Amino acid sequence: MTAAVVTGVGAAIPPRVVTNDDLAGYLDTSDEWIRSRTGIASRRWVDPGMSTGDLAVAAGELALRSAGIDRVDAVVVATTTPDRLCPATAPEVATRLGMTGVSAHDVNAVCTGFLYGLASAVGLIAAGNAQTVLMIGAEAFSTILDPQDRSTAVIFADGAGAVVLRAGSPDEPGAVGPIVLGSDGSLSDLIQIPAGGSRQRSAGTLAPPEDHFFQMRGREVYRHAVERMAASAQEAMVKAGLSMADVDKFVPHQANNRISVAVGERLGLVPAQTVSNVDHMGNTAAASIGVLLAEASVDGELHAGERLLLTAFGGGLTWGATTLVWPALTAHMTVLPRPVSAVAV
Ligand code: COA
């Protein structure tokens, strides 16, 4: 059976660092509250003029360089914050990477986007539609946050992480294992932007301004996130014919530190196995696993031959997990320069 094998990894983050104290300057919050509840000390937000597509192009370029190729058969962009509601962001990203003509589409599974995007890429390869795929998780999540909502503004952040996959065999290092995915639409209200879509537009009434921003019922989300991430991680290992004892490194979606710790504990993993960058990246939604893979690889935290366990949870609700053996590769990561429009002000 054809497998999809990871051969390149790259990430790109915006230049602007937003600290907890920066947020406490205009919100009723504190560095102490944010650190103790989320484990986040700072995050990166785009300046005006920088978009999800800009981050995706930079991350995609680095992943292609990491894989040693300059073209793929298909581009998938997983995002909650497309450059425009229509069309998808992926075709423009593909063209900006010099690949006009290739298959290109977006996937929206909010914070599970990286794993749903990965499944889409794996599917393209398994079906013979593509021999090589560039899958990019990218978010300019700060652009949908209500600046006055302290419960979301402190958590979410911007960035892009990308992987290149090629057709290969299931026993090669880098081969993506069975991907477990799930959803529960009865809880779609827990994480949402109420306005801007067909339901609100067809009502023919103006939505209140706050309905155009991202909203989250954090406490309820927390409980579901821990349960679903742990259960899907266990299921992915069973489907791969493995046990938790086979896991070297745990690479969870960077929702927040308390969620990662709680899931790790449920899985019986020791804290040293858990890879994390949420303290300085925040929650970059669909980008977080890709950014974490690239950064941990660049920093020497991930080693070739280690078995990774990936799991994520997000709006929808959606969740998922998979496993792979980390391949020998050189990952790349960059901080984008400030956009000209931001430098001018
Ligand atoms: N600073 C200070 N106080 C804050 C705050 C902030 N940034 N955000 C919320 N609060 C307040 C609330 O208003 C509430 O005040 P009240 O008791 O007077 O009503 C109090 O803190 C407790 O709020 P609550 O939401 O119950 O806190 P919590 O302990 O559950 O922590 C989260 C809040 C968001 C950190 C937590 O629910 C969480 O981690 N949820 C998961 C969110 C997440 O990671 N989502 C992404 C999934 S992909």
Side-chain angles (χ1 to χ4, degrees):
M1 198 193 128
T2 308
V5 179
V6 174
T7 60
V9 183
I13 54 174
R16 182 174 158 215
V17 177
V18 179
T19 65
N20 292 345
D21 285 337
D22 291 335
L23 296 176
Y26 63 93
L27 287 171
D28 182 14
T29 188
S30 67
D31 178 52
E32 197 282 326
W33 194 98
I34 302 169
R35 277 181 201 260
S36 63
R37 303 296 174 104
T38 70
I40 300 168
S42 64
R43 73 286 289 142
R44 303 263 178 164
W45 282 0
V46 294
D47 288 295
M50 185 180 286
S51 75
T52 292
D54 298 336
L55 291 161
V57 167
E61 201 174 338
L62 292 180
L64 290 168
R65 191 191 302 167
S66 169
I69 57 175
D70 58 13
R71 201 175 168 80
V72 289
D73 300 327
V75 174
V76 178
V77 173
T79 187
T80 320
T81 52
D83 281 5
R84 293 173 276 186
L85 270 182
C86 163
T89 302
E92 200 176 341
V93 168
T95 285
R96 289 174 65 187
L97 288 168
M99 297 189 281
T100 298
V102 303
S103 154
H105 71 273
D106 285 7
V107 169
N108 179 356
V110 198
C111 294
T112 320
F114 197 84
L115 291 182
Y116 268 81
L118 204 58
S120 185
V122 168
L124 286 167
I125 288 174
N129 285 319
Q131 289 292 306
T132 50
V133 181
L134 172 62
M135 205 298 286
I136 313 169
E139 301 282 12
F141 216 95
S142 62
T143 62
I144 57 171
L145 296 175
D146 180 347
Q148 298 308 321
D149 180 359
R150 64 180 182 175
S151 70
T152 55
V154 303
I155 293 176
F156 292 93
D158 306 337
V163 289
V164 170
L165 302 127
R166 66 157 167 78
S169 114
D171 46 19
E172 276 184 79
V176 179
I179 304 181
V180 170
L181 298 173
S183 72
D184 182 353
S186 72
L187 297 170
S188 58
D189 289 356
L190 294 190
I191 292 175
Q192 62 162 331
I193 301 175
S198 63
R199 187 170 299 284
Q200 175 261 316
R201 283 167 183 247
S202 70
T205 51
L206 282 180
E210 64 270 20
D211 279 6
H212 289 276
F213 289 120
F214 177 83
Q215 300 174 5
M216 177 178 70
R217 303 218 304 260
R219 185 159 279 195
E220 287 160 85
V221 167
Y222 182 92
R223 188 169 55 80
H224 290 290
V226 173
E227 274 168 25
R228 295 301 190 180
M229 286 171 79
S232 58
Q234 264 153 349
E235 202 183 327
M237 291 303 285
V238 169
K239 278 202 167 155
L242 299 165
S243 76
M244 282 301 152
D246 297 309
V247 174
D248 295 306
K249 293 278 165 64
F250 179 44
V251 185
H253 159 55
Q254 299 294 283
N256 72 52
N257 198 49
R258 282 197 307 169
I259 290 178
S260 296
V261 168
V263 176
E265 278 172 3
R266 277 202 187 195
L267 296 175
L269 301 169
V270 298
Q273 289 178 278
T274 300
V275 187
S276 169
N277 64 4
V278 77
D279 62 325
H280 57 280
M281 287 296 172
N283 176 343
T284 57
S288 86
I289 289 179
V291 173
L292 183 57
L293 288 173
E295 188 177 27
S297 188
V298 167
D299 289 351
E301 266 188 83
L302 295 183
H303 306 103
E306 286 182 330
R307 176 161 293 282
L308 312 187
L309 172 60
L310 278 43
T311 181
F313 175 88
L317 300 177
T318 53
W319 55 85
T322 193
T323 176
L324 78 159
V325 172
W326 194 238
L329 52 73
T330 304
H332 300 294
M333 183 156 180
T334 192
V335 179
L336 285 189
R338 293 190 78 195
V340 176
S341 54
V343 174
V345 288

